[in-house]
Amino acid sequence: TPVEAPGLKLSKIGLIMLGVGDLARAVAFYRDTLGLPVAQQIPGFAFLNAGGVTLALSEPLAKNSPSRVGATELVFSVEGVREAYEALRARGVVFSIEPRVVNPPMWAASFADPDGHRLSLFGPERKA
């Protein structure tokens, strides 16, 4: 029988951790290409500020996982999908799915990080 914990509700994700094969390469992508600030780095780990949630990059997680990439996608909320798409393309990001309407009036565009983790942009087509 499960242990009862009256009133317990998990209601906030504080950190998302991705396994990465090369920490320096992953940090360069998320910091320099995507623009997420690095809050802290310790051996094997980097912690980036992702607007209310911390994105952790972990070499040990990758080394201790049977597969690095699964049915997971990180979705970045943006004010204008087309503007973010053009800016990231100019920084060398290759998109697997071009900007498209997914749920009018919302648009999305999909790409991957250097380890193959699925990422996407989501928001209105253009900034208001």
Side-chain angles (χ1 to χ4, degrees), residues 6-122:
L8 173 68
K9 277 197 228 176
L10 300 182
S11 61
K12 181 180 179 184
I13 293 175
L15 184 140
I16 295 170
M17 189 174 299
L18 296 178
V20 299
D22 180 329
L23 187 62
R25 178 183 72 176
V27 167
F29 178 79
Y30 283 94
R31 180 193 60 214
D32 303 337
T33 304
L34 301 188
L36 296 180
V38 175
Q40 182 182 14
Q41 237 180 297
I42 58 175
F45 294 88
F47 301 90
L48 296 100
N49 181 343
V53 68
T54 297
L55 177 62
L57 306 174
S58 167
E59 286 179 329
L61 180 61
K63 288 178 183 150
N64 294 308
S65 297
S67 76
R68 192 167 303 160
V69 178
T72 305
E73 182 173 335
L74 296 183
V75 179
F76 290 91
S77 296
V78 295
E79 293 179 8
V81 169
R82 288 218 183 263
E83 291 89 347
Y85 165 81
E86 291 300 335
L88 292 177
R89 273 191 39 183
R91 295 178 191 170
V93 173
V94 176
F95 282 78
S96 55
I97 302 176
E98 302 291 311
R100 76 244 180 241
V101 176
V102 289
N103 185 16
M106 303 306 270
W107 283 59
S110 301
F111 59 107
D113 76 3
D115 286 279
H117 296 289
R118 294 182 192 137
L119 309 173
S120 67
L121 306 173
F122 181 78

